[in-house]
Amino acid sequence: MNNNDIELNQQLGKTVGNPLVDGIPRMSCQSVDVFYNQDLQAIFNVSVDLAKNQILAMIGPSGCGKSTLLRCLNRMNDTIDGCIVTGKIYLDNEDIYTSNIDPVLLRAKVGMVFQKPNPFPKSIYDNVAYGPRLHGLMTNNSELDDIVEESLTKAGLWKETKDRLNKPGTGLSGGQQQRLCIARTIAVKPEVILMDEPTSALDPIATATIEELMYELKSSYTIAVVTHSMQQAARISDRCAYFHLGRLVEVNDTNIVFTNPEHGLTENYITGRFG
Amino acid sequence: MNDLDFFIILLTSAVVVFFIGQAKARSRQESTSGIRLHSLPNYYGYLTALWTFLPALGVFLVWSLFESNIVSMLTIAKFTQLQQLSTDNLSLALNEIKILATTGIYYSNGDANINHQAAAVYSKYFNHSFNLKILVSTLLALLGFTYTYLRINPTMQARNSVERLIVYVLLICALIAILTTLGILFSVLFESVEFFSKVPITEFLFGTHWSPQIAIYEDQAGSSGSFGAVPLFWGTIFISIIAMMIAAPLGLIAAIFLSEYATSRVRATIKPILEILAGVPTVVYGFFAALTIGPLVRDFGYYLREVGVNLDIEILANLTVSTESSLAAGLVMGMMIVPFILSLSDDVISAVPDAMRDGSTALGATKSETVWKVIVPAALPGIVGGFLLAISRAIGETMIVLMAAGVAANLTANPMNSVTTITTQIVTLLTGDQEFDSVKTLAAFALGLGLFITTLILNIIALHVVRKYREQYE
């Protein structure tokens, strides 16, 4: 360990702020470490809660591990060879990394929206109906129609697409595609929605639409969002977590993090001195 | 000196003038110190070499192409006796003259006196032509060299000029490939037209009896050939269908395993093995089919017949069984094209973006649900394109069918029976002792044309489907 690392460890130290929430959190990470291929540690001892019906924003410079942590929350990292997660992650007080949890069912409860809109090359209807069909959430076709309409309405896409449900989802604009992906996620009736930089591939107008949508969705769901835009984090989130080199440096209510950060690194980042 | 010698000399001089041009560029740079060369010295060398080599080679090749015809025409013009001959006899006599002129061997057809005289004239003209050709080419080479050499100075844009010349070289190479294909197509087309002037096209396309023998002497038994190609087209399609029924599911499922389930280590081992398998000559598959699978299929046929007799099932009891069967050929051909389909399907499945897999997984789909409901539908146009290319290969396959399915043109849906295909018939029609202008030989060209059109259409569809697939995402 060279001098830089020692200095950094002293700087990073323990998470400051307020990682835990009052009452029962929807999801909770406790002392989570993530390794890629044993020797490469991506996440160091992270503990943080996701409160019910709140948006947690995860910010930090590229490669700081925020996306890695997000992908641990619905075990998407299982699909990566050599990825090892230690520590505990709870969903409603149940450890999701024990053997009696089926990751396939977990992912239906903890949905995910990706950085780049990734609608399937199917019709808009089939994109939304994909999840409900997999999990048998309906007994007949009219129920499925209802689920599709409800999901598209919640995602703010129903008006634009109700006359073209049979057209391919890939034919929509970027912002519409991302809302379609959100509708697709909602259709499975998840409890938590994870969003990995959901607006970084979109223009400002589409971004504003998605942000409004996230604000509306939080009344029904718990949301964690990774973002590179500090303005976005400030606008939409209730709580904000700042990551640096795999450590959770600071987490607190968003207005505290942005107006009165405790840690020097956080302050440097949000004032734009680096990152 | 012959043509090859001259070509080698031309090539050698191109290498030599490369160094000359390069050296001059260097020395000019030194003598005009302070002025930088526009291009690297090599480019001046390339330019000199190209200008020396290309025009001379062009004239040389074009001259060689028409030389023989022009000399023949000049020779004929000298001899009124030759002019009086009919077209067929004239070409015979001309061949005679050419052979006599070049080898001195005489087969004593036609008028020996005239032919000997003509051969001497032909020889003389040919020598004149050759000398003139060498002279003109050499002059052009010298001219090209001098023209470039004198212009070499630091401001000359040699690099750009080389670039322009390279475009022409590429264009010519592309044209040669296209013209060769067109040449083959037209030679097949002309012979087919000849064939259809002797056998009605309706008989060829709709006739169900194929028996292409021609009388070698008059009043021979069975001398009237019949050229109904339907059994051949049917045999081709039938065997291809059997082959695809084996290869399509097997290849696709193996491709899914390789691209979605196998670890990178397994993949790295299996892929090269499959590529070797795809490179096995089809004749090897052919004797495997004829010696191993054929008898197995026959025994299975006998067993079915026995079952038919015992259980009193008329269709099975009357089954025609032979060692050469479309089933044996189809099975082995299927095995042959499995690696082909596997490789193409593997490519398109791997090309489906990971975002699709992630999206499906994040909705709570299992791996196999993701594969069958998202990945395969997304890759389907590409997979279908691969299938169509594989069908083209199956249709064009010859050796396996020749060895395993036989040459009997049966119009039957019984897979235990012997059938024959277009390619097999082309082989049997064109091998052995033939008169080259007989209907029997011409029939091969008509079959070739049919095959060409079929595979062309299939390839066009395949390309179209594959292109559509490329626009799928974004």
Side-chain angles (χ1 to χ4, degrees):
Chain A
M1 197 181 271
N2 60 35
N3 284 340
N4 272 346
D5 284 348
I6 294 168
E7 199 182 322
L8 195 68
N9 269 348
Q10 284 166 353
Q11 267 190 51
L12 291 168
K14 244 181 119 261
T15 304
V16 299
N18 201 3
L20 305 179
V21 295
D22 301 334
I24 302 163
R26 175 119 276 168
M27 289 196 89
S28 175
C29 305
Q30 289 173 14
S31 307
V32 173
D33 291 311
V34 180
F35 300 86
Y36 290 121
N37 297 322
Q38 293 178 337
D39 48 342
L40 183 71
Q41 187 164 6
I43 301 274
F44 298 82
N45 192 27
V46 167
S47 302
V48 64
D49 281 354
L50 273 71
K52 270 179 193 165
N53 299 344
Q54 282 198 351
I55 297 180
L56 172 72
M58 296 152 90
I59 58 173
S62 294
C64 67
K66 51 197 190 309
S67 289
T68 301
L69 184 69
L70 194 76
R71 289 170 68 93
C72 289
L73 296 178
N74 66 346
R75 295 186 62 173
M76 280 298 280
N77 280 343
D78 289 15
T79 59
I80 298 170
D81 283 341
C83 179
I84 298 161
V85 180
T86 63
K88 302 219 179 291
I89 300 178
Y90 294 98
L91 171 65
D92 296 329
N93 282 328
E94 202 175 6
D95 186 355
I96 62 171
Y97 276 87
T98 52
S99 54
N100 58 348
I101 291 284
D102 178 1
V104 168
L105 293 179
L106 171 73
R107 290 182 199 125
K109 283 193 216 162
V110 184
M112 191 164 200
V113 176
F114 296 87
Q115 181 175 1
K116 211 172 153 231
N118 59 346
F120 303 131
K122 299 172 184 288
S123 70
I124 294 169
Y125 185 95
D126 286 338
N127 260 287
V128 182
Y130 182 78
R133 278 179 179 145
L134 282 181
H135 301 289
L137 298 182
M138 70 294 173
T139 48
N140 56 41
N141 279 340
S142 73
E143 269 185 53
L144 187 59
D145 291 347
D146 292 343
I147 293 177
V148 170
E149 179 175 348
E150 191 197 326
S151 308
L152 283 171
T153 308
K154 273 192 183 170
L157 199 59
W158 177 248
K159 275 187 200 153
E160 293 152 73
T161 57
K162 66 179 177 213
D163 299 324
R164 47 191 284 207
L165 289 175
N166 291 321
K167 295 274 157 51
T170 42
L172 296 170
S173 74
Q176 288 174 323
Q177 286 189 12
Q178 194 62 300
R179 277 181 280 154
L180 177 62
C181 292
I182 293 173
R184 188 172 77 180
T185 307
I186 297 170
V188 194
K189 305 205 185 325
E191 296 169 21
V192 181
I193 300 176
L194 310 172
M195 297 185 170
D196 192 354
E197 301 179 36
T199 60
S200 64
L202 303 180
D203 66 72
I205 294 168
T207 301
T209 318
I210 301 274
E211 284 181 9
E212 273 168 40
L213 177 59
M214 286 159 78
Y215 201 78
E216 284 163 24
L217 289 175
K218 84 175 179 183
S219 59
S220 331
Y221 309 96
T222 300
I223 297 174
V225 55
V226 165
T227 177
H228 272 298
S229 157
M230 277 170 289
Q231 291 88 335
Q232 184 172 63
R235 278 195 299 265
I236 57 168
S237 67
D238 300 288
R239 279 153 45 79
C240 186
Y242 173 68
F243 289 80
H244 192 93
L245 294 172
R247 279 88 170 174
L248 177 54
V249 175
E250 179 163 2
V251 55
N252 217 327
D253 289 351
T254 300
N255 54 356
I256 299 177
V257 171
F258 278 91
T259 54
N260 191 16
E262 272 180 60
H263 203 289
L265 283 171
T266 318
E267 190 175 357
N268 284 345
Y269 187 72
I270 61 171
T271 52
R273 236 167 279 167
F274 65 76
Chain B
M1 188 159 82
N2 61 26
D3 286 357
L4 186 65
D5 292 341
F6 180 73
F7 179 74
I8 290 169
I9 291 170
L10 201 60
L11 204 60
T12 320
S13 49
V15 175
V16 172
V17 298
F18 167 80
F19 290 108
I20 297 177
Q22 195 191 34
K24 176 166 181 198
R26 284 217 177 96
S27 74
R28 290 285 295 162
Q29 183 177 30
E30 276 156 23
S31 65
T32 58
S33 56
I35 304 173
R36 269 178 55 97
L37 281 178
H38 173 271
S39 316
L40 291 173
N42 274 359
Y43 281 105
Y44 295 91
Y46 287 133
L47 192 66
T48 321
L50 284 172
W51 269 109
T52 310
F53 185 64
L54 284 184
L57 183 75
V59 166
F60 179 72
L61 286 182
V62 172
W63 195 307
S64 303
L65 209 61
F66 294 107
E67 190 172 38
S68 166
N69 280 343
I70 291 171
V71 170
S72 301
M73 269 161 58
L74 289 175
T75 314
I76 294 168
K78 272 263 184 184
F79 294 90
T80 42
Q81 294 95 325
L82 286 177
Q83 288 161 22
Q84 286 156 1
L85 291 172
S86 70
T87 329
D88 282 357
N89 285 336
L90 180 63
S91 70
L92 203 65
L94 271 178
N95 271 334
E96 206 57 67
I97 291 164
K98 280 181 197 169
I99 292 169
L100 195 56
T102 47
T103 64
I105 300 167
Y106 188 56
Y107 291 105
S108 70
N109 287 324
D111 189 332
N113 188 21
I114 296 293
N115 282 357
H116 269 104
Q117 284 177 29
V121 172
Y122 183 89
S123 233
K124 195 177 80 187
Y125 281 149
F126 203 90
N127 279 335
H128 284 322
S129 160
F130 182 78
N131 291 337
L132 206 59
K133 178 171 73 176
I134 300 293
L135 187 70
V136 171
S137 302
T138 313
L139 274 178
L140 259 178
L142 283 173
L143 204 67
F145 168 71
T146 327
Y147 173 67
T148 323
Y149 184 79
L150 291 178
R151 286 191 312 151
I152 290 179
N153 67 64
T155 53
M156 184 190 187
Q157 304 191 331
R159 201 174 163 206
N160 310 25
S161 308
V162 169
E163 192 63 31
R164 275 197 294 275
L165 281 179
I166 294 284
V167 172
Y168 287 109
V169 174
L170 298 182
L171 183 74
I172 289 166
C173 289
L175 277 180
I176 288 173
I178 294 168
L179 289 177
T180 313
T181 316
L182 282 181
I184 294 171
L185 177 62
F186 277 110
S187 73
V188 170
L189 200 63
F190 286 136
E191 302 292 337
S192 302
V193 169
E194 183 96 350
F195 172 74
F196 288 128
S197 72
K198 290 177 180 165
V199 174
I201 191 163
T202 44
E203 185 198 331
F204 180 75
L205 287 180
F206 303 113
T208 55
H209 187 62
W210 177 263
S211 153
Q213 56 267 39
I214 291 294
I216 293 172
Y217 51 88
E218 275 179 42
D219 304 329
Q220 188 184 11
S223 63
S224 61
S226 55
F227 294 93
V230 170
L232 308 188
F233 282 104
W234 166 247
T236 307
I237 293 166
F238 191 43
I239 291 181
S240 299
I241 289 173
I242 295 174
M244 285 307 288
M245 277 164 66
I246 305 289
L250 212 57
L252 177 60
I253 291 168
I256 288 171
F257 169 75
L258 263 197
S259 56
E260 298 292 316
Y261 291 89
T263 60
S264 51
R265 216 217 226 117
V266 172
R267 200 180 139 90
T269 320
I270 292 184
K271 261 249 168 179
I273 294 176
L274 282 167
E275 267 145 30
I276 293 169
L277 208 60
V280 173
T282 56
V283 66
V284 177
Y285 285 103
F287 62 70
F288 174 63
L291 300 180
T292 312
I293 304 296
L296 268 177
V297 168
R298 180 201 54 198
D299 292 347
F300 181 64
Y302 286 149
Y303 171 74
L304 279 184
R305 203 153 71 180
E306 219 169 279
V307 170
V309 171
N310 289 341
L311 299 179
D312 208 17
I313 306 169
E314 204 180 329
I315 285 188
L316 288 184
N318 295 333
L319 197 66
T320 319
V321 175
S322 70
T323 315
E324 290 176 328
S325 64
S326 45
L327 186 59
L331 285 173
V332 175
M333 197 192 284
M335 292 314 294
M336 179 197 85
I337 53 182
V338 161
F340 193 67
I341 289 185
L342 197 159
S343 182
L344 285 170
S345 304
D346 181 57
D347 287 347
V348 289
I349 290 173
S350 304
V352 175
D354 273 342
M356 297 294 129
R357 294 180 185 86
D358 281 351
S360 176
T361 310
L363 287 169
T366 63
K367 188 138 196 173
S368 65
E369 283 167 344
T370 301
V371 166
W372 288 108
K373 293 184 174 159
V374 176
I375 308 295
V376 170
L380 197 63
I383 294 170
V384 171
F387 283 0
L388 288 172
L389 288 176
I391 293 174
S392 300
R393 258 202 87 170
I395 288 176
E397 173 50 38
T398 314
M399 282 319 294
I400 294 176
V401 187
L402 186 64
M403 294 167 88
V407 289
N410 294 320
L411 187 59
T412 169
N414 172 11
M416 302 287 174
N417 205 344
S418 150
V419 296
T420 191
T421 66
I422 300 172
T423 50
T424 318
Q425 283 307 310
I426 292 176
V427 172
T428 50
L429 287 173
L430 287 183
T431 48
D433 274 346
Q434 313 281 348
E435 280 183 67
F436 209 75
D437 57 348
S438 76
V439 185
K440 190 176 164 184
T441 315
L442 291 174
F445 288 96
L447 287 176
L449 186 68
L451 200 60
F452 183 86
I453 291 172
T454 319
T455 45
L456 184 72
I457 290 171
L458 275 175
N459 278 334
I460 288 173
I461 297 174
L463 281 177
H464 185 76
V465 171
V466 170
R467 194 174 304 142
K468 201 175 156 201
Y469 169 72
R470 286 202 188 116
E471 298 163 357
Q472 193 76 35
Y473 310 105
E474 296 311 310

